[in-house]
Amino acid sequence: MSQVSPYKLAPFTSPRFMSVGSLSISSSAQRLSVARFSSLRRASLRAMTSHIVGYPRMGPKRELKFALESFWDGKSSAEELQNVAADLRSSIWKQMAEAGIKYIPSNTFSYYDQVLDTTAMLGAVPARYGWNGNEIGFDTYFSMARGNASVPAMEMTKWFDTNYHFIVPELGPDVNFCYASHKAVDEYKEAKALGIDTVPVLIGPVSYLLLSKPAKGVEKSFSLLSLVDKLLPIYKKVVSELKGAGATWIQFDEPTLVMDLEPHQLHAFTEAYSELESSLSGLNVLIETYFADVPAEAFKTLTSLKGATGFGFDLVRGTRTLELIKGGFPSGKHLFAGVVDGRNIWANDLASSLGTLQTLEGIVGKDKLVISTSCSLLHTAVDLVNETKLDNEIKSWLAFAAQKIVEVNALAKALAGQKDESFFSSNAKAQASKKSSPRVTNEVVQKDTTALKGSDSDHCRATNVIDRLDAQQKHLNLPILPTTTIGSFPQTMDVRRVRREYKAKKISEEDYVKVIKEEIQKVVKLQEELDVDVLVHGEPERNDMVEYFGEQLSGFAFSANGWVQSYGSRCVKPPIIYGDVSRPKAMTVSWSSMAQSMTKRPMKGMLTGPVTILNWSFVRNDQPRHETCYQIALAIKDEVEDLEKAGVTVIQIDEAALREGLPLRKSEQAFYLDWAVHSFRITNCGIKDTTQIHTHMCYSNFNDIIHSIIDMDADVITIENSRSDEKLLSVFREGVKYGAGIGPGVYDIHSPRIPSTEEIADRINKMLQVLESHILWVNPDCGLKTRKYTEVKPALSNMVAAAKLLRTQLASAK
């Protein structure tokens, strides 16, 4: 792989076919004239004031995903990857310009992650990647994101309370920031060459530091905010170049302002923007927040920042921020009102939003109010135009990213006295349809869910976990440090093809079952050859851990192309929960029973938990989320009990997203954790002591919710651990007692790197320093679906060998 800059753009030479929004154009035909776009921009300036915080970058047909994976596999060149990226960017900018959006973002495109892009911009590359100090190229950039043959990747964690992941910066007192990526300026110039004046978007300097972590070997007490003075000169250089290129607006994303910050942290914002003030002179500066209410003290700090022209707020999830605005918004400043939901796919209630905007207009003035999305549209699907299989009623209730641009514009026009009566009337009919449709409500489900309220004590297993583990060990007879995997195994192109053909009714059910059965046999045989202790069936019948279950539950709908980026090239297609949820019939019992019949070793039944199904779906917005979660929990409870009846005595109920749903504000967290933990316990409260319940969580900071994890009362929990430098283990070093089984992941499956036996053994030894050997499990960080068998086989072989080595050492020590 050549050390090519990700940001130096190749010319538009690709003949690829693109389809974005209502545009269906080849890249050669995309080049509309600068004069035409200038005319569009002048018209939009007269008519309305609208803004988009950010936009999905994968493409309507996941063009970037396939280009990235082809490049990583060595099947295409850096120039080909750059061409695909340039096509996508230009299509997005032109789509917004043609819709009449005034403030169009640039620098929200990324080859992997925007925070990683900021790390590249700042030259904050950890020494282990051997960077030579020049402009950051693909080799260094992707090594930081994915690791390479010799060094591991940087830590990856959730972006606030979303299912998007970011690469965590590693900083210390010796970091030498330098201007090492000109991406922000390059993209601004690229758009300008197309006749589109954009708003360059940067992760704000203080949020960048607050989202970072001390590098390995740096004291955990090190103040990351102490680096702000070293950081700001780079921001000043970027701002200076953007001004020189002709930028008139710049957007700083400072989402950490919605968190419960300490006074010294808030003071860092004041100091940083005071220092930047002279550099920002001559520019209009938007400081954008999203995902929650801005606390009162943070609101006061934010709206007092020097150099700022406007402030952006999420008024969908941050409804209480409205009261702060009403209580005092600074005169003469722009208010970017995020009234169109950037996190969900429901059509906006235009009449309601217009009422909110009219109230705000009375506070800040017509010329200072900008209609915006609540956050980046990165978290929604791309374009409803590509959905041909959704029925018309449900489709009328939805708006993907492309449609949300139209909604923002329609609200801006209405506020400017140019209301599209037909569009508003159609929207009102869809809103009424959604409220009254009989397919939304199931009275039996509503009754069962109501009966759960206030009955938390009725949903606990009868015996404590210590006694249950003893009963399970007598039944399972596992060795010390038992080995297992998280659930999925690599999915070959043939398996995916067969699934598609079966879904399209191109092959019979008999032929489909035969192929899947053969794949399960292959996975079972491999695990037995590797000598894994508790097996999985590999999940070849499953497309996605949430979508698979949603397809078999009532109250769910599914898109064909509703892909959303999770991390890197990884996309998920969230189900759409539109109505009450129930389970018409068993979902996994036949496959799990089949797999168990192939081996004498324990075979885990694999389920996705209710909180994860909820958090990884687009959830109905007409009732509280916890009520929907309880409905899903009752459906999973039925499945757990049927698995047990079928003789499956180890059942994994994954709650990968439990931590992700934790509200950002501390005052709201206890309520969430209460119903989330309750939902999990509902699923398995009625089973025998000898049935072992596992759960799995990944890529989150667990230390602050460890007591809630204990309250889940699972028999065994497996948790991501390797990318975060064993951060999880610190809670046990600090005295938290944990009596259930636990498997902190011993290697990172999100990287192609294969760890050695010695490296894994060293990780296990670190775990044994804080955990009792009789509760410790040995497993990878996550499922193996995205890896290749050439990576999985040696990695698992080394993992099992490491467990056996430690067993021998422990036996000798006794």
Side-chain angles (χ1 to χ4, degrees), residues 49-56 96 101 103 105 251 286 288-291 312-317 336-343 348 357 370-380 400-409 411:
T49 310
S50 50
H51 168 249
I52 304 298
V53 177
Y55 200 81
M96 291 190 204
I101 300 298
Y103 300 108
Q251 176 178 320
L286 164 62
E288 184 68 50
T289 68
Y290 35 79
F291 297 153
F313 300 100
D314 182 336
L315 299 181
V316 176
R317 292 197 170 217
F336 287 69
V339 295
V340 172
D341 194 351
R343 291 276 296 267
N348 187 274
L357 292 167
V370 182
I371 294 80
S372 183
T373 54
S374 65
C375 62
S376 173
L377 298 175
L378 170 72
H379 310 286
T380 66
F400 290 1
Q403 288 68 48
K404 289 177 186 293
I405 290 175
V406 176
E407 290 179 337
V408 168
N409 196 53
L411 287 166

Side-chain angles (χ1 to χ4, degrees), residues 272 521 771:
Q521 284 176 322
L771 294 167

Side-chain angles (χ1 to χ4, degrees), residues 406-461:
V406 176
E407 290 179 337
V408 168
N409 196 53
L411 287 166
K413 288 177 70 176
L415 207 61
Q418 302 172 33
K419 185 178 179 182
D420 185 333
E421 295 291 351
S422 174
F423 188 71
F424 269 71
S425 175
S426 176
N427 176 265
K429 288 178 182 177
Q431 297 295 323
S433 163
K434 186 173 166 225
K435 289 176 182 176
S436 62
S437 175
R439 67 198 297 183
V440 170
T441 305
N442 181 323
E443 291 184 5
V444 174
V445 173
Q446 291 277 350
K447 183 178 178 182
D448 289 345
T449 307
T450 301
L452 293 174
K453 296 175 182 177
S455 57
D456 181 54
S457 61
D458 297 336
H459 301 106
C460 299
R461 294 180 75 177

Side-chain angles (χ1 to χ4, degrees), residues 594-648:
M594 177 192 295
Q596 183 62 81
S597 71
M598 297 173 182
T599 181
K600 293 181 180 179
R601 300 184 185 215
M603 173 66 64
K604 284 194 284 190
M606 303 300 303
L607 305 175
T608 302
V611 184
T612 296
I613 291 177
L614 182 90
N615 284 335
W616 286 356
S617 297
F618 291 124
V619 183
R620 59 190 294 188
N621 58 359
D622 59 343
Q623 71 177 15
R625 289 173 68 87
H626 68 269
E627 291 188 13
T628 303
C629 197
Y630 285 154
Q631 293 178 1
I632 303 169
L634 289 172
I636 299 299
K637 181 177 187 289
D638 290 343
E639 188 73 11
V640 168
E641 292 173 357
D642 281 352
L643 281 168
E644 185 182 63
K645 289 173 187 172
V648 178

Side-chain angles (χ1 to χ4, degrees), residues 96-300:
M96 291 190 204
E98 291 203 322
I101 300 298
K102 178 180 179 181
Y103 300 108
I104 296 173
S106 61
N107 199 39
T108 58
F109 178 89
S110 177
Y111 286 96
Y112 207 94
D113 161 51
Q114 261 181 282
V115 179
L116 181 62
D117 292 350
T118 309
T119 296
M121 180 185 82
L122 297 168
V125 181
R128 65 181 177 274
Y129 298 108
W131 175 53
N132 61 14
N134 295 324
E135 182 91 359
I136 299 286
F138 274 146
D139 268 5
T140 301
Y141 182 84
F142 287 130
S143 290
M144 289 193 287
R146 307 175 71 235
N148 58 43
S150 57
V151 291
M154 295 167 71
E155 180 183 354
M156 182 165 66
T157 197
K158 295 293 176 70
W159 178 244
F160 294 84
D161 59 347
T162 75
N163 187 32
Y164 177 74
H165 303 66
F166 74 97
I167 303 297
V168 183
E170 302 172 13
L171 305 176
D174 298 328
V175 63
N176 290 312
F177 295 115
C178 61
Y179 191 9
S181 165
H182 293 68
K183 174 179 180 291
V185 179
D186 289 344
E187 283 194 16
Y188 175 78
K189 291 178 178 177
E190 180 185 352
K192 195 171 183 181
L194 297 170
I196 305 171
D197 187 27
T198 60
V199 179
V201 179
L202 301 174
I203 301 293
V206 183
S207 287
Y208 177 79
L209 292 174
L210 290 175
L211 293 168
S212 302
K213 71 172 188 177
K216 197 166 187 177
V218 174
E219 289 292 329
K220 300 301 179 188
S221 59
F222 172 69
S223 172
L224 292 160
L225 289 177
S226 68
L227 297 172
V228 71
D229 289 339
K230 297 178 71 172
L231 190 77
L232 292 180
I234 312 304
Y235 276 88
K236 289 179 181 179
K237 288 181 181 179
V238 179
V239 168
S240 176
E241 285 197 8
L242 286 169
K243 285 167 68 174
T248 56
W249 276 85
I250 188 169
Q251 176 178 320
F252 289 104
D253 282 6
E254 294 281 13
T256 55
L257 279 164
V258 305
M259 309 291 283
D260 295 304
L261 300 179
E262 299 292 331
H264 77 279
Q265 295 171 318
L266 289 175
H267 185 65
F269 287 92
T270 302
E271 291 293 301
Y273 284 90
S274 292
E275 176 64 25
L276 286 172
E277 184 182 10
S278 61
S279 299
L280 297 172
S281 177
L283 274 175
N284 292 296
V285 177
L286 164 62
I287 301 179
E288 184 68 50
T289 68
Y290 35 79
F291 297 153
D293 284 295
V294 176
E297 283 302 310
F299 181 85
K300 187 186 303 182

